[in-house]
Amino acid sequence: MPNYPPRESSLHPTYPTSMAGFIHSNEPIEANESDWEIFSDYSSASEAGSNLSVASSIRDYVYENGRRYHRYGDEGKYILPNDETEQDRLDLIHHVFLMILGGELHLAPVGNPKNVLDCGTGTGIWALDFGEQHPESTVTGVDLSPIQPVWSVPNVRFDVDDLEKEWVWPQDHFDFIHIRCICNGIRDYQQLINQAFTHTNPGGWVELTEFSFEIVSNDGTLVPNTALAQYFDTLVNAYKRVGQVFPCPKMMRESMENAGFVDIVEKTFNTPWGPWPKNEKLREIGTNMALVGSAGFEAYALAAMTRALGMDLMEAKDLCHRAHMDVLNRNIHVMNPTYFLYGRKPE
């Protein structure tokens, strides 16, 4: 077996275990009144691996608004881009989740699962990290876009497929199914969870993670005339027109219960946006979320606003830019609820 160099994306900084404690707290976050500046020790994902896994014949994309989008399956179903800028954003979001979870890749008590499925794998960074940590596991990452590394570690493979179509894997097969930030590409969430239940091995676990499409402020610094508030009002209006699923703990829990999952655990973490929190670790998360927003506001909005609302491209871009400036404004203190749920398939 040849010696492969370590993946750059696996060289995460050490995350103190105390970070995981923040997920249990809904207490107001205290703002930092001292001077601040943007910072990040983030490194993007890179190369290296061992087995060819993604066919090149489906790399046929749509170019719109200066961004690249997928064409596979129902064109336009997933309304976010898949270009290099978006891939960097997805890897940075993965970094944020590691900070939120104290360096852990998941919350479910999965042990050492034999077969693992990562739904909406994106760049494949979660699947690759899990595969490296669990060499005894076989990890499959699936996504609409073939943007994963062409070469991966021996126990990780990537498939291109539409998760809303009938799943091709065996029933009762996966010991752990990881589903994170997938609502932008799903129109029937219950059907997704039903299929996850069918293909989970009895005793296996499914974990769901989603950002809310609402932002909150505990101190009233987010007012209706801010560009940030206007951005979310416009975005939600556009997403309603394209049939977007809006995640919330009640909907996610009910979907799991309806499918048949038991021992469901639900946790919510208020993710700060911007480097305004006084707490050092929360400030680092907020700062990274501000960096996410530099590309994220346009990623979420451009296609939706121009397609569904008929907005002029420059008008949509201007709204995205002004909303991001609000996130960088130390006098506007906003948080984005982030939902974590996991449950077990009965024996």
Side-chain angles (χ1 to χ4, degrees), residues 25-261:
S25 174
N26 287 321
E27 297 177 0
I29 299 176
E30 185 178 357
N32 181 27
E33 301 300 332
S34 62
D35 293 337
W36 55 271
E37 61 182 27
I38 295 290
F39 66 92
S40 174
D41 57 359
Y42 165 71
S43 297
S44 62
S46 62
E47 65 285 338
S50 65
N51 64 305
L52 184 62
S53 57
V54 178
S56 60
S57 60
I58 45 180
R59 297 179 186 275
D60 184 18
Y61 302 121
V62 176
Y63 293 86
E64 180 182 344
N65 302 325
R67 304 299 300 269
R68 190 186 74 188
Y69 298 84
H70 85 95
R71 190 191 294 274
Y72 180 74
D74 298 327
E75 184 175 328
K77 181 179 190 176
Y78 183 69
I79 209 162
L80 273 66
N82 64 6
D83 51 26
E84 293 293 334
T85 300
E86 176 65 1
Q87 292 173 44
D88 288 343
R89 186 189 73 84
L90 293 174
D91 286 348
L92 182 51
I93 282 289
H94 179 70
H95 176 70
V96 169
F97 278 120
L98 287 172
M99 288 192 290
I100 292 173
L101 299 181
E104 299 295 331
L105 290 169
H106 55 86
L107 289 173
V110 300
N112 294 306
K114 180 180 178 182
N115 294 303
V116 178
L117 179 66
D118 184 29
C119 297
T121 193
T123 65
I125 189 171
W126 185 94
L128 291 166
D129 280 359
F130 193 94
E132 288 179 345
Q133 291 186 16
H134 298 267
E136 74 287 350
S137 300
T138 298
V139 184
T140 301
V142 62
D143 201 274
L144 282 169
S145 294
I147 58 174
Q148 303 78 34
V150 175
W151 299 91
S152 72
V153 294
N155 60 328
V156 179
R157 61 163 290 158
F158 297 111
D159 293 336
V160 177
D161 209 344
D162 184 346
L163 289 165
E164 289 202 287
K165 300 185 185 301
E166 185 176 355
W167 289 15
V168 299
W169 304 286
Q171 296 185 11
D172 301 333
H173 179 66
F174 294 105
D175 303 292
F176 180 35
I177 297 181
H178 178 255
I179 305 176
R180 185 170 78 183
C181 296
I182 199 174
C183 277
N184 287 89
I186 298 298
R187 298 297 177 263
D188 189 341
Y189 196 78
Q190 183 65 66
Q191 175 63 14
L192 172 74
I193 305 306
N194 289 347
Q195 294 216 79
F197 183 86
T198 298
H199 294 270
T200 299
N201 192 32
W205 295 86
V206 168
E207 180 165 317
L208 315 174
T209 304
E210 293 289 343
F211 284 115
S212 171
F213 276 82
E214 296 181 352
I215 50 175
V216 296
S217 174
N218 288 336
D219 57 8
T221 54
L222 179 69
V223 295
N225 65 350
T226 59
L228 191 57
Q230 294 169 6
Y231 171 90
F232 272 90
D233 288 343
T234 307
L235 186 69
V236 168
N237 185 23
Y239 277 7
K240 285 180 179 178
R241 297 195 183 189
V242 299
Q244 169 73 46
V245 172
F246 294 96
C248 69
K250 182 175 183 293
M251 180 273 286
M252 296 164 70
R253 173 181 281 273
E254 288 180 351
S255 296
M256 297 190 79
E257 291 174 343
N258 293 339
F261 287 101

Side-chain angles (χ1 to χ4, degrees), residues 282-304:
L282 292 174
R283 184 166 66 251
E284 185 175 1
I285 292 174
T287 299
N288 278 274
M289 287 302 293
L291 294 172
V292 169
S294 64
F297 280 101
E298 288 193 2
Y300 275 85
L302 290 188

